[in-house]
Amino acid sequence: MEPSLFEKIVSREIPADIVWESEKVLVFCDIAPQAPTHFLAIPKQRFNRIAEVPDEESSLLGELITGAKKAAAEAGLNQTGYRLVINNGSDAGEAVPHLHVHILGGRKMQWPPG
């Protein structure tokens, strides 16, 4: 399987503006931001989408959300709020086949989202 764009970021083949990192998770700025603050949190291990993460990897999902929370806090989004989004499949808008969490903030969000 060809490495995903995000795997190339993890391996530092492609540069990214990294805002938070742990042994298993990387958070970096989105290159096509949809809000004034737009980060992506990814597991360093590739899972194409959240529906494919095995139950025994549930702690990784917790670390993914923790990374998103910490990056949002470091960006000062706790005061006004932020949105976490996970797209699962093409109908949901998934564009990169590597599980990722969008962290969006810095503006008023609308509901429903789309």
Side-chain angles (χ1 to χ4, degrees):
M1 182 178 351
E2 181 74 22
S4 73
L5 170 68
F6 295 161
E7 286 174 296
K8 291 178 180 179
I9 290 172
V10 169
S11 69
R12 307 308 202 259
E13 291 176 55
I14 295 175
D17 185 5
I18 297 169
V19 297
W20 189 86
E21 184 173 10
S22 71
E23 183 180 319
K24 296 181 178 184
V25 172
L26 188 67
V27 182
F28 53 92
C29 294
D30 193 298
I31 61 168
Q34 301 299 305
T37 301
H38 187 171
F39 303 140
L40 299 174
I42 65 167
K44 291 181 178 179
Q45 179 182 355
R46 181 176 177 173
F47 296 99
N48 287 338
R49 57 193 49 87
I50 194 166
E52 296 177 11
V53 178
D55 289 346
E56 58 269 14
E57 293 289 344
S58 62
S59 65
L60 174 64
L61 297 176
E63 189 166 340
L64 192 62
I65 298 301
T66 297
K69 178 184 87 163
K70 288 183 176 187
E74 288 176 16
L77 298 177
N78 283 348
Q79 299 304 313
T80 56
Y82 56 93
R83 179 172 287 168
L84 301 180
V85 176
I86 300 174
N87 298 318
N88 188 83
S90 60
D91 280 358
E94 178 186 281
V96 177
H98 187 127
L99 171 60
H100 55 286
V101 177
H102 294 265
I103 302 110
L104 300 151
R107 68 170 170 83
K108 182 85 170 163
M109 300 289 159
Q110 301 299 311
W111 195 261

